[in-house]
Amino acid sequence: MTTQLTNDAHRHLGVMPAYPFYGGAPVNPDMSARATLAELIADLDREGTERALVLPNYGVPDAKVSFGFNQLVLEAAAKDDRISCGLWVSPRPQDAEMTAKALELAGEPGVKALKTSFLLGGSVEDPECQVQLDNMFAVAREHDLVVHFHTSPGAASDIDKVGQLVDKYGDDAKIHLVHFGGGISGHIKLVSSRFFDWIEAGKKVYTDTSWAVGFAPRWLASEIERRGIGHDRVLFASDEPWGDYAGEAARLAAATGDGELGRLMFTDNFTTLYGS
């Protein structure tokens, strides 16, 4: 277990029902999911996590489950000043009413982000999702929130798709590309040019290295040093319970070392983005 002190920019709270993913038996692959603030705090203490941005757990194809966890993360943020939270919202038109109610909570104490994904349906290019996307970003701008988008290779979460949101909204809204593209193709597209091109164009784009394939954090750190930009745009994230805190921390520490870049990614960038 690492002893690196961290601020965790993306982890989840809430225990979902078992689900028969991919046609198998009902399972709970997120086996370390937590249901209460007390369990979460115990994890933070054990890890050495000083502060955390906590988001509703999601993954089963029932939108009501994740929307239901919005109240849980709000209560966690209200009860402990180590915790900030993000609200689950959805781009899908069938979730519009639940999304509207969630966005009404954006001004509540401790809310720092909105979290969404196309994993459960919808796409950047679906005109029926556009109203929800416009509403999300309007609320994010109004309350100075960071919009977290899941990225992974292929389909609607591919960086070619999600990156369109950076192009469209990134001038005046903060966008966090969770999982740094989510796979080899996304990593290469981002590190080779796209991530740095967005920064140079003035886009308010951020990312983390959770789920990143081994070469990507090393290459990203090297390119940040070489180019002299991007050091303030990458944050540590465990993605617990879907990620592995110890593994994520060890990989990023190996890539950044124990100097200024590591300190920025593990702690300071979180403080700058989300407050002390």
Side-chain angles (χ1 to χ4, degrees):
M1 176 65 71
T2 179
T3 58
Q4 170 78 55
L5 291 178
T6 64
N7 290 328
D8 190 344
H10 187 108
R11 65 192 299 150
H12 299 278
L13 185 60
V15 174
M16 297 186 297
Y19 185 78
F21 295 97
Y22 309 114
V27 293
N28 292 98
D30 55 334
M31 58 185 295
S32 61
R34 303 307 187 201
T36 68
L37 175 60
E39 292 172 316
L40 172 63
I41 292 299
D43 287 344
L44 302 186
D45 290 342
R46 183 179 63 256
E47 298 161 357
T49 300
E50 296 179 300
R51 297 195 61 218
L53 180 76
V54 178
L55 309 160
N57 202 2
Y58 77 102
V60 300
D62 181 353
K64 294 188 296 295
V65 173
S66 296
F67 279 105
F69 293 142
N70 278 341
Q71 195 59 45
L72 178 61
V73 299
L74 282 169
E75 291 172 0
K79 290 179 179 178
D80 195 300
D81 60 9
R82 295 170 66 182
I83 307 298
S84 299
C85 73
L87 300 171
W88 175 260
V89 292
S90 169
R92 304 193 313 167
Q94 59 265 49
D95 299 333
E97 184 176 349
M98 290 185 289
T99 292
K101 291 180 179 178
L103 291 174
E104 291 175 358
L105 303 171
E108 291 294 310
V111 177
K112 302 292 185 180
L114 303 174
K115 172 63 191 287
T116 194
S117 171
F118 294 107
L119 282 180
L120 305 182
S123 81
V124 174
E125 298 166 330
D126 183 348
E128 293 191 358
C129 293
Q130 195 59 58
V131 173
Q132 280 66 246
L133 289 168
D134 285 344
N135 289 342
M136 287 177 206
F137 280 100
V139 170
R141 288 190 295 268
E142 178 185 355
H143 295 280
D144 194 26
L145 305 180
V146 182
V147 184
H148 283 229
F149 273 94
H150 174 95
T151 63
S152 59
S157 290
D158 187 88
I159 196 62
D160 289 339
K161 302 295 185 181
V162 179
Q164 295 176 45
L165 298 170
V166 180
D167 292 329
K168 182 172 183 177
Y169 298 105
D171 289 330
D172 54 6
K174 299 170 184 174
I175 299 174
H176 182 133
L177 301 173
V178 179
H179 308 319
F180 196 56
I184 290 175
S185 61
H187 301 336
I188 292 175
K189 290 172 184 177
L190 287 169
V191 181
S192 63
S193 62
R194 202 169 304 180
F195 183 59
F196 297 100
D197 289 347
W198 279 326
I199 294 171
E200 290 180 330
K203 304 295 185 183
K204 299 179 178 180
V205 61
Y206 299 83
T207 193
D208 65 73
T209 57
S210 63
W211 293 19
V213 179
F215 74 92
R218 295 193 299 266
W219 189 22
L220 175 60
S222 175
E223 281 297 288
I224 287 172
E225 296 283 11
R226 185 180 73 85
R227 295 171 181 257
I229 59 173
H231 55 279
D232 56 343
R233 303 301 184 94
V234 183
L235 296 86
F236 170 73
S238 72
D239 195 40
E240 286 280 1
W242 297 100
D244 168 58
Y245 178 92
E248 299 294 354
R251 185 165 60 249
L252 187 60
T256 61
D258 57 2
E260 181 183 10
L261 185 58
R263 187 184 72 251
L264 287 168
M265 292 185 183
F266 275 109
T267 59
D268 293 9
N269 290 343
F270 183 103
T271 300
T272 300
L273 190 58
Y274 295 114
S276 59

